[in-house]
Each structure stands twice: as C-alpha cells, then as structure tokens.
C-alpha cells in the first residue's frame, strides 16, 4: 500500500478487500494485536469537531499498544501559525503517524507529501475514506457479498457520498445517489469512481428523485444536510433537502429487508425520521463501532513496520 491513506481511489481493489479482511480479523481477535504498534505514537490533528473519529483513533492506538495525541483546532492553526509543511517536518521527528481532520483537502495532500511518516485522512471537505471503510465492513457483516448489493445514498453529494462511491467502485457494489439539483457529488469524483469501477461490476445512477434512487435498495444511507463549515447555509439547506428525508415512505421503495446507514452525528426528523433511525433496520451504531476496527486495520497496515517496531 502507499505510505498514506488519503483516498479510497489510491488503493487497489485487492488492498481494499484486504483492509476489510484485516479489520474483521482484528475485530474478532483483538488480543492478538495488542502489541502491533507497541510504543508508537499517532498525532491527531483536528480542525473540526469530532466524537467518533477522535475516540476510535485514540482507543485504536491504545488497543494496538501505542498512543494517540489529540491536537485541537486552537493548537496548531494549520497554515496560520505555521505552514502545513513545517507542521509535517516537526511532527515527523516525534511521531510514527499523523491523522488529520481538516477543511481543504489540499491540507491533507500537502501534509502527506511533506511528512516522512504515514498520513491518514480523518475527513476533509472532499472525502471521508475511514468512514467508508467502516461502512463497507458493516455492509459486508449485515448483507454479505458486496458485489451483489445496491447501496442508495440520499441527501447531500458531500464528502461522505464521495468516499462511498469510491468504495462501491472498488467493491463492485451498485450505487444510486439521489440529491437535489445543485447538490450532486462533484463531477471529478464521479469520474474517478466510474474509472475505478469499470471492471468491477460497479454501476452508478445519479438522480434528483429520491424514490428512484431508493428502488430495490439493499441499504439506504444518508448524512447531515449541512456539513461542518457550511453552517451559514443551514436555513436554505433545510428547505431544499426536506423532500430528501429518509423515512418509511422512502423505505417502501427499497427491498423489504433493506438496512439504514448513517455516518453520524444524525439529526432526527431532518435527514432521517426518528422512526427509521430507531428501527430494527438501523445499523448506525455498528458503523460507529466498525470505525474502530477499520482504522486499526489501516494503522497496522501503514505503521506496522514503523521505526519503533522494526
Ligand atoms: N462519523 C464521524 O466521522 O463522526 P465524528 O464527526 O464524530 O468524528
Ligand atoms: N458530511 C459531514 C460528515 C460528518 C462526519 C461533515 O462533513 O460534517
């Protein structure tokens, strides 16, 4: 695998499946991996809030025998207090890996280019690859053969949607994306997914009709309508996205045993009805748990031969 984990586009189909296999193995036998990253340190840069990403990287490092150090938005002030490259050249002298959650995706790319240690994308405005790995692990556990499934994403064509498309392309999962006009996934991400998925069985339907997207789905996924950094658009978005709520009426178009996914945090009665969120269909906390296992797999794969280990 490459030095870094920045986009699912960057890994091969084989590496994608291998990461899911390792994640499952770690989930089933966590004790076998207690020393996998013994004595190693992960710096965790956060420019946005987090519950799941922070907890799962920190707990993950602890359970692998290492340690995660949280750096809050106020501490680093990436690009303001010092350049992204200078941050990289400091951190690489002390730690074995860096996780970054930031706004501009360019910050992730620049950090990875400058740092000699692995860099992991913990969410940017463009993508959220760790989330998609956890989601596909969850899909595999609940539904089996990823290549036979149809995953529907309804809502904002955002960072989470982009990474799900790239994961579906690697897995050969059929995908439908239903968004309002003007909120479709970015064309360059659609292009990458179609390129990556051309020999895998991947199919992609882009539509502005949520019902059409949901037809015969094995799983329906949604995310918040207003992502971190878009708060000033909240009022307008709440109106535009109202017809895109995931609720029982939408599920009526899906397969009878379809499941519900959401990366969380969720806003009940906005992007998802309380009824669906709290129903037997909802596997959202399995996804949250799987963040831990998926990211342990990513860290072991990238950092397993780290300097303190070898
Ligand atoms: N899903 C997710 O990334 O959650 P946090 O924003 O709480 O990390
Ligand atoms: N699209 C959301 C995901 C949060 C995990 C955001 O970027 O805020």
């Amino acid at each position: 695998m490459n030095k870094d984990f920045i986009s699912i586009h960057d890994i091969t189909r084989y590496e994608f499946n291998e990461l899911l296999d390792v994640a499952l193995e770690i989930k089933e036998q966590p004790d076998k991996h207690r020393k996998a990253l013994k004595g190693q340190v992960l710096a965790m840069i956060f420019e946005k809030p987090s519950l799941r990403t922070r907890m799962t990287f920190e707990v993950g490092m602890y359970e692998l025998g290492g340690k995660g150090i949280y750096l809050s938005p106020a501490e680093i002030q990436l690009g303001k207090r010092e350049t992204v490259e200078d941050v990289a050249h400091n951190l690489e002298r002390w730690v074995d890996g860096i996780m970054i959650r930031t706004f501009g995706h360019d910050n992730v790319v620049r950090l990875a280019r400058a740092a000699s240690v692995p860099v992991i994308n913990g969410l940017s405005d463009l993508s959220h690859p760790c989330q998609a790995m956890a989601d596909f692990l969850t899909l595999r556990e609940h539904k089996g053969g990823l290549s036979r499934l149809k995953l529907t994403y309804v809502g904002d064509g955002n960072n989470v949607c982009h990474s799900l498309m790239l994961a579906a392309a690697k897995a050969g999962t059929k995908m439908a994306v239903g968004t309002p006009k003007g909120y479709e996934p970015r064309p360059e991400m659609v292009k990458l997914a179609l390129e990556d998925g051309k020999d895998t069985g991947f199919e992609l339907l882009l539509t502005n009709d949520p019902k059409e997207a949901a037809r015969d789905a094995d799983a329906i996924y949604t995310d918040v309508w207003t992502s971190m950094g878009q708060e000033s658009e909240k009022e307008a978005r709440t109106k535009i996205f109202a017809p895109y709520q995931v609720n029982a009426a939408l599920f009526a178009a899906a397969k009878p045993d379809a499941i519900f996914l959401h990366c969380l945090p969720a806003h009940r009665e906005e992007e998802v009805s309380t009824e669906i969120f709290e129903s037997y269909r909802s596997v959202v906390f399995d996804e949250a748990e799987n963040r831990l296992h998926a990211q342990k797999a990513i860290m072991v794969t990238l950092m397993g031969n780290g300097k303190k280990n070898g």
Side-chain angles (χ1 to χ4, degrees):
M1 220 156 96
N2 293 340
K3 173 176 82 69
D4 311 294
F5 185 76
I6 294 180
S7 169
I8 291 177
H9 169 68
D10 300 336
I11 60 176
T12 65
R13 196 177 180 203
Y14 173 80
E15 287 166 341
F16 176 83
N17 287 317
E18 181 81 1
L19 276 178
L20 293 184
D21 290 343
V22 173
L24 207 58
E25 210 266 328
I26 291 177
K27 181 172 184 173
E28 280 162 4
Q29 303 192 54
D31 286 342
K32 260 182 62 185
H33 302 272
R34 294 262 173 216
K35 294 184 180 158
L37 298 184
K38 187 163 178 279
Q40 295 201 38
V41 178
L42 179 78
M44 308 188 305
I45 302 174
F46 281 90
E47 295 207 296
K48 294 179 178 178
S50 170
L51 169 64
R52 281 147 292 273
T53 305
R54 191 222 166 137
M55 285 304 297
T56 49
F57 272 106
E58 199 161 330
V59 171
M61 278 306 287
Y62 174 76
E63 289 184 356
L64 294 169
K67 183 181 170 60
I69 297 182
Y70 172 73
L71 294 155
S72 76
E75 269 155 320
I76 294 201
Q77 298 172 43
L78 214 59
K80 288 192 206 92
R81 197 159 177 266
E82 56 199 310
T83 66
V84 173
E85 286 73 19
D86 285 357
V87 170
H89 293 317
N90 278 268
L91 288 174
E92 70 190 9
R93 300 292 178 112
W94 311 316
V95 304
D96 307 278
I98 305 169
M99 192 271 347
I100 176 166
R101 164 167 289 196
T102 186
F103 292 87
H105 187 72
D106 196 42
N107 285 337
V108 186
V109 174
R110 282 172 59 193
L111 193 75
R113 247 185 231 143
S116 58
V117 296
V119 169
I120 300 171
N121 177 2
L123 180 147
S124 70
D125 289 344
L126 186 69
S127 61
H128 198 1
C130 294
Q131 181 67 51
M133 293 309 297
D135 298 332
F136 272 72
L137 181 59
T138 310
L139 269 179
R140 200 160 102 169
E141 287 180 318
H142 282 274
K143 291 280 168 193
L146 293 174
S147 60
R148 291 191 307 275
L149 300 180
K150 176 178 174 183
L151 169 66
T152 290
Y153 178 94
V154 173
D156 188 16
N158 62 13
N159 46 9
V160 168
C161 176
H162 292 154
S163 290
L164 287 172
M165 288 192 317
L166 293 175
K170 298 285 171 186
T173 304
K174 291 172 191 48
M175 199 167 164
V177 177
T179 67
K181 275 207 173 61
Y183 295 87
E184 292 89 355
R186 292 197 204 171
E188 69 270 24
M189 299 304 272
V190 171
K191 189 164 167 261
L192 278 188
L194 290 173
E195 275 169 24
D196 286 358
K198 71 177 185 306
D199 299 322
T200 68
F202 173 64
E203 288 171 21
L204 180 64
L205 169 75
L206 297 178
T207 172
N208 300 123
D209 177 354
K211 276 247 162 66
E212 189 192 3
R215 193 170 302 137
D216 295 326
D218 294 284
I220 301 184
Y221 197 119
T222 192
D223 183 15
V224 291
W225 293 337
T226 304
S227 284
M228 294 179 278
Q230 299 172 333
E231 288 76 8
S232 65
E233 300 171 29
K234 185 168 170 51
E235 214 182 307
R237 283 173 169 267
T238 305
K239 285 199 192 96
I240 293 164
F241 282 95
Y244 293 81
Q245 186 189 72
V246 174
N247 51 31
L250 193 69
F251 261 95
K255 289 200 181 136
D257 60 350
I259 56 174
F260 171 68
L261 291 99
H262 193 309
C263 57
L264 304 179
H267 299 130
R268 290 170 175 75
E269 298 307 324
E270 290 183 30
E271 74 272 9
V272 57
S273 67
T274 306
E275 184 189 359
I276 290 296
F277 188 84
E278 294 178 0
S279 73
Y280 66 94
R281 296 180 184 283
S282 178
V283 298
V284 298
F285 299 113
D286 293 342
E287 294 171 82
E289 176 185 337
N290 282 338
R291 290 290 302 277
L292 175 68
H293 310 302
Q295 288 157 201
K296 281 167 87 174
I298 292 165
M299 292 191 289
V300 165
T301 304
L302 294 185
M303 298 161 66
N305 298 317
K307 56 179 186 282
K308 291 183 188 151
N309 217 39

